[in-house]
Amino acid sequence: MSKIQEAFEKEIYYTEDVLHQTSSTSSTEETDRKGGDVVNIQNNDDTTTKSYENTPEERAYVRKLNKFIYPLIGMIIFVQFCDKASLSVAPVLGLNKDLGLSGTQFSILGSMFYLGHLIYQIPNQFILQRVPLARYLGVLLVIWGIVMGATGACQTFSQMAACRFLLGLFEAAAMPTLYLITATLYRRTEQPMLFGFITLCNGVGAAIAFGFSHLNNARGIENWRWNHIFFGSLTVLLGFFTWFFLVDRPDHPLLRLTETEQLIVKDRTKDNAVVTKKEFKYGQMWEALKELRFWLIMLSGLTVSLQNGGMLVFSTTFVLGLGFNGQQSLLLQIPSGMASALGVFVAVLLAHKTKQIIWSSMFMLCIGMIGLLILCAIPEGEIKLLGFYLSWAGTGSYALIVTLIGNNVKGYTKKIFYNSCIMAAYTVGNFVGPLMMTEHDAPRYLGGVGGFLAGFFVAFCCLFIVRILGARVNSHRLENKSDKETDVYLDKTDKEDDQFIFRL
């Protein structure tokens, strides 16, 4: 066996099982890894470091962590989706008739949310590095909940446009904050599952919207206004829970760490290579901007998001155009949300089983392109509903694009910058998507659907190139692999740390 092959096998063990890193840069190590027991690592200075990876102690710590993270993050994503998607079900609940909106005005309302989303990404990346993340997110939840409730009082198109803009502005920080918390708390091998979970909880929102359609304008208030008032109030309440109960760092007081768990936290921090730094390092930002990988990932995130923006805003209207009535179109949003969730589940499961993030993302794009081809090629019939559902496979691809960043971008400022920029790309895609669904193309919207198909193909090509570039870097680093290890607290970037191996 050649030295390169030996190094490759050693590194696969490192990247997939995430062998810990020690801060010593001048030690040789002897490890004994048996049946999930603690690994003792003997250094030259006669000190012993323990790796707790996949031990009963670590699994107990992760279960404790999950109890605080999964329920609360699930609720945050749920209300964010419902608040954002409230416009898509509003026409069936009487919005367009009540405010006298035209098709073009409705498209503009869909895009105004993402305009606010885009603008806030610039200050957000500076704020994230300087504030407690849980309290920051809690305040934003309260503010956007108030805006959501106020949207139910709008009487004109201009008022609706202003509220949609503000809603997007204050929601903009949610996903980058949650991505950063995830990257801080979890090992790289654990992150795909949580990144995937972050994109779920869609189908239930559609079911609740169906319930609002049966209120029959209770107390003289239109159904679409009840929808906004309910979710606005829920969001404000969740903001207070987030302030007090969201765990945003591995040594959070709510976790009540034992001495062993404190050692586990240190070991996991070395693995995920994320150490909180309040200093904004402009050099890391410029390094990102000079990378071809950066632009390819951002372009793929943007083009995948075109379908999400267009189909999300026009989903109910689009299904109405397939021949279903209003309440049927609302009910059919439930399997639409479930199709999106299923796409994420399949993508994450595939990436977990194959250990291939990019290939799995590209596979989901292929499924999405099949769905969009059905919508383009078939003039009418219920088979178009299948194409509509298949097109949501792109959501799974996007979840893995975010995972790709979480697993492969090192350096605290650089990671924040990447996360902010992918959200900006996502926002631009969602802003442009509804504008591609022009009124004169109704009900098939061939121009928009064809554009979404082209976007998926562009993303497919970009991801393919990213994988080639990453594989070349890995090959070079494996050939020159040394026993010298990088101190994670030095906050080196993935480019500066020549021992860092990409998970592709």
Side-chain angles (χ1 to χ4, degrees):
M1 183 181 294
S2 68
K3 291 183 178 179
I4 294 177
Q5 288 176 314
E6 291 175 352
F8 179 77
E9 290 186 0
K10 176 182 176 183
E11 204 52 52
I12 289 296
Y13 181 75
Y14 170 81
T15 56
E16 305 309 340
D17 297 319
V18 194
L19 187 60
H20 77 287
Q21 296 180 342
T22 67
S23 59
S24 171
T25 59
S26 61
S27 65
T28 58
E29 303 172 347
E30 296 178 0
T31 64
D32 181 21
R33 186 182 188 85
K34 296 181 180 179
D37 294 333
V38 174
V39 179
N40 291 321
I41 301 172
Q42 186 68 41
N43 299 322
N44 283 344
D45 58 2
D46 294 329
T47 62
T48 300
T49 304
K50 293 183 178 180
S51 172
Y52 289 90
E53 183 190 352
N54 203 31
T55 60
E57 293 89 346
E58 184 186 49
R59 288 194 291 270
Y61 168 77
V62 173
R63 285 195 296 271
K64 181 193 293 187
L65 185 62
N66 289 344
K67 288 177 183 178
F68 286 96
I69 294 297
Y70 273 83
L72 198 49
I73 282 185
M75 280 301 299
I76 292 171
I77 297 304
F78 167 69
V79 298
Q80 188 200 29
F81 174 82
C82 291
D83 292 353
K84 177 175 63 176
S86 59
L87 186 68
S88 67
V89 300
V92 177
L93 298 179
L95 170 69
N96 291 11
K97 181 180 178 181
D98 190 29
L99 298 189
L101 300 179
S102 66
T104 301
Q105 287 176 322
F106 184 72
S107 296
I108 293 173
L109 289 180
S111 294
M112 287 301 293
F113 174 91
Y114 293 104
L115 181 60
H117 223 267
L118 179 62
I119 290 175
Y120 195 72
Q121 294 305 325
I122 299 173
N124 183 55
Q125 62 183 310
F126 294 97
I127 296 173
L128 277 178
Q129 202 154 354
R130 291 172 170 82
V131 298
L133 299 181
R135 294 187 175 184
Y136 176 51
L137 186 55
V139 170
L140 290 175
L141 277 160
V142 171
I143 296 174
W144 100 51
I146 293 172
V147 173
M148 180 68 178
T151 305
C154 292
Q155 301 295 331
T156 66
F157 165 74
S158 298
Q159 292 173 354
M160 277 293 295
C163 283
R164 289 292 296 178
F165 172 82
L166 291 174
L167 189 64
L169 191 77
F170 294 116
E171 278 196 33
M175 297 303 281
T177 303
L178 294 178
Y179 291 150
L180 190 58
I181 290 174
T182 299
T184 303
L185 296 177
Y186 288 90
R187 290 187 184 273
R188 290 203 291 165
T189 49
E190 298 165 349
Q191 290 173 18
M193 295 300 293
L194 188 54
F195 281 132
F197 178 77
I198 285 176
T199 59
L200 300 180
C201 305
N202 295 354
V204 181
I208 295 176
F210 178 74
F212 282 117
S213 70
H214 288 80
L215 282 178
N216 298 319
N217 298 335
R219 298 183 179 274
I221 301 175
E222 289 82 0
N223 292 343
W224 70 270
R225 298 185 190 275
W226 277 118
N227 188 44
H228 284 78
I229 293 169
F230 173 80
F231 283 115
S233 302
L234 182 61
T235 304
V236 171
L237 180 63
L238 186 60
F240 288 104
F241 273 93
T242 300
W243 175 284
F244 292 108
F245 299 112
L246 179 61
V247 172
D248 57 358
R249 63 181 194 272
D251 59 347
H252 197 282
L254 285 175
L255 294 175
R256 297 180 180 179
L257 299 180
T258 64
E259 290 185 7
T260 299
E261 287 173 339
Q262 291 174 4
L263 295 175
I264 291 172
V265 165
K266 291 180 180 179
D267 183 51
R268 291 167 64 84
T269 299
K270 294 172 185 177
D271 168 48
N272 61 29
V274 179
V275 178
T276 302
K277 300 286 184 180
K278 291 190 175 182
E279 176 192 359
F280 191 88
K281 299 181 179 179
Y282 289 93
Q284 293 189 6
M285 183 180 71
W286 294 124
E287 178 182 298
L289 288 170
K290 291 185 288 186
E291 293 175 347
L292 176 59
R293 176 189 68 166
F294 171 84
W295 297 104
L296 291 170
I297 290 176
M298 297 311 142
L299 182 58
S300 63
L302 188 156
T303 53
V304 166
S305 301
L306 293 172
Q307 179 272 345
N308 184 76
M311 289 297 194
L312 183 61
V313 174
F314 277 84
S315 56
T316 308
T317 306
F318 188 82
V319 174
L320 277 171
L322 299 181
F324 299 94
N325 63 35
Q327 290 195 351
Q328 287 175 334
S329 66
L330 277 178
L331 276 176
L332 290 171
Q333 298 313 301
I334 299 175
S336 172
M338 296 309 296
S340 177
L342 181 62
V344 174
F345 176 78
V346 171
V348 170
L349 183 64
L350 190 62
H352 178 72
K353 293 294 185 181
T354 64
K355 312 299 182 185
Q356 298 291 333
I357 297 174
I358 295 180
W359 291 136
S360 301
S361 182
M362 292 168 65
F363 175 76
M364 299 308 296
L365 285 174
C366 289
I367 295 177
M369 285 190 279
I370 291 173
L372 292 170
L373 280 170
I374 291 174
L375 292 177
C376 287
I378 299 178
E380 57 186 17
E382 294 182 358
I383 190 65
K384 288 177 70 71
L385 198 59
L386 173 63
F388 175 67
Y389 293 146
L390 288 177
S391 72
W392 287 102
T395 309
S397 177
Y398 178 79
L400 292 183
I401 291 173
V402 174
T403 303
L404 187 68
I405 293 174
N407 274 216
N408 295 294
V409 178
K410 211 173 157 231
Y412 197 66
T413 297
K414 188 175 182 179
K415 188 180 287 288
I416 289 176
F417 183 69
Y418 256 84
N419 284 333
S420 296
C421 288
I422 195 63
M423 282 308 302
Y426 170 86
T427 301
V428 171
N430 279 272
F431 176 82
V432 174
L435 299 179
M436 296 170 67
M437 306 286 275
T438 55
E439 191 172 5
H440 65 80
D441 280 340
R444 293 183 65 189
Y445 297 102
L446 282 179
V449 174
F452 304 154
L453 178 60
F456 276 20
F457 179 74
V458 170
F460 183 93
C461 296
C462 288
L463 290 174
F464 182 69
I465 297 172
V466 169
R467 199 187 190 290
I468 291 175
L469 294 174
R472 287 179 179 175
V473 173
N474 279 356
S475 177
H476 175 74
R477 289 180 175 178
L478 290 169
E479 289 178 8
N480 298 279
K481 185 71 176 175
S482 69
D483 293 330
K484 185 178 180 181
E485 295 191 352
T486 304
D487 184 353
V488 68
Y489 293 95
L490 294 177
D491 195 32
K492 287 188 175 182
T493 66
D494 50 270
K495 184 176 181 180
E496 294 168 339
D497 182 5
D498 57 7
Q499 303 300 305
F500 186 77
I501 304 298
F502 298 126
R503 298 184 73 242
L504 305 172

